[in-house]
Amino acid sequence: RNLLVKNGLQEKLFAQVVTALTEQGLILKKGTIVDSTIISAPSSTKNKEKKRDPDAHQVRKGNTWHFGMKMHVATDEIIGIAMDVVYGPANEHDITRAREVIADDTRVVYGDAGYVGITQRDEFQDLSRADYMIARQPGCLKTMSQDSAEREMERFKASVRSKVEHVFKRVKLDMGYSKTRYRGIKKNAHRISTLLAVANLFCFDCWRRRSVA
């Protein structure tokens, strides 16, 4: 494991899987879905250093406090293949790492309400020609009637964004990585990158079988 981490082989494996799927025309990069999820870390101090993981941080989400790291992912809008990923502490805002996972040739960007104001950030000025399908704040939804055009548009955005949630589900639930295994973001990042590569192959296989059927 340490040799894999030292040489960055797991990240290279993830990149090779994405490249292979792209070269075969299996990833359509016209649209990109961005989102992030928290990977919890043990808060116990029962270790040699008597400290919590120094790379992990605490953040409040809703009424619950979480301690751990965060995975920022970008997927395509058609199949739900994870195209890029970056990692950081849990208290890092979603929008601050979004540009790192969005390709320069992206035409449409989908995101939840956490990405409101994304077009005002300096790093996104070079993507001024892209369309941004960002979800409205929950408070705004309450003012919309169920049969209005605005409400229907929000349903459409949610149906597209759901593909990135499938990636989180595979890694955290199906593959059991809802909690970190090691101390430090780098070691966990390498492990998760391997799981994402496997998840991409599984996702494509499911899509291929549905298409054939």
Side-chain angles (χ1 to χ4, degrees):
R1 176 177 56 80
N2 290 329
L3 287 173
L4 292 173
V5 173
K6 181 179 179 180
N7 294 280
L9 296 182
Q10 290 149 309
E11 292 180 348
K12 293 177 181 178
L13 173 64
F14 169 73
Q16 287 179 349
V17 170
V18 174
T19 300
L21 295 177
T22 302
E23 289 177 348
Q24 296 182 46
L26 302 176
I27 299 179
L28 304 178
K29 290 188 175 181
K30 294 182 179 179
T32 298
I33 310 168
V34 291
D35 204 355
S36 66
T37 186
I38 296 173
I39 308 293
S40 299
S43 58
S44 174
T45 58
K46 294 181 179 179
N47 50 61
K48 293 181 179 179
E49 295 82 9
K50 305 298 182 182
K51 297 179 180 179
R52 301 191 299 180
D53 187 341
D55 288 353
H57 287 273
Q58 189 166 304
V59 65
R60 183 177 181 178
K61 189 173 182 180
N63 295 322
T64 306
W65 285 93
H66 301 270
F67 177 77
M69 61 178 287
K70 183 173 285 189
M71 172 174 66
H72 304 262
V73 173
T75 73
D76 73 295
E77 65 176 335
I78 305 299
I79 306 177
I81 299 292
M83 299 184 298
D84 206 350
V85 58
V86 294
Y87 306 91
N91 63 342
E92 194 172 57
H93 197 283
D94 298 357
I95 203 171
T96 60
R97 304 295 296 273
R99 187 63 183 90
E100 297 180 43
V101 295
I102 297 177
D104 295 337
D105 59 349
T106 299
R107 298 182 185 178
V108 186
V109 178
Y110 297 86
D112 61 23
Y115 295 91
V116 170
I118 193 173
T119 58
Q120 306 302 318
R121 297 181 64 86
D122 294 338
E123 63 266 29
F124 280 90
Q125 299 311 305
D126 61 335
L127 282 179
S128 57
R129 295 185 178 181
D131 293 326
Y132 292 86
M133 305 288 282
I134 307 301
R136 303 282 293 273
Q137 295 285 356
C140 297
L141 298 178
K142 296 179 181 179
T143 63
M144 302 178 187
S145 61
Q146 292 296 324
D147 56 351
S148 66
E150 287 183 321
R151 190 74 175 189
E152 191 62 31
M153 176 57 71
E154 292 306 310
R155 293 192 185 98
F156 169 74
K157 294 177 185 177
S159 67
V160 176
R161 293 199 322 273
S162 65
K163 293 180 178 64
V164 73
E165 298 294 343
H166 297 167
V167 174
F168 299 151
K169 184 256 185 184
R170 292 188 185 99
V171 172
K172 299 177 71 173
L173 299 182
D174 296 344
M175 299 180 181
Y177 215 88
S178 58
K179 292 186 178 181
T180 59
R181 298 291 187 272
Y182 318 105
R183 288 173 63 84
I185 290 177
K186 185 177 180 179
K187 291 181 179 179
N188 288 287
H190 282 284
R191 179 67 176 273
I192 297 172
S193 293
T194 303
L195 299 181
L196 283 174
V198 176
N200 278 347
L201 295 175
F202 177 78
C203 179
F204 165 69
D205 184 60
C206 291
W207 176 81
R208 180 184 58 81
R209 285 184 290 173
R210 288 197 304 268
S211 300
V212 172

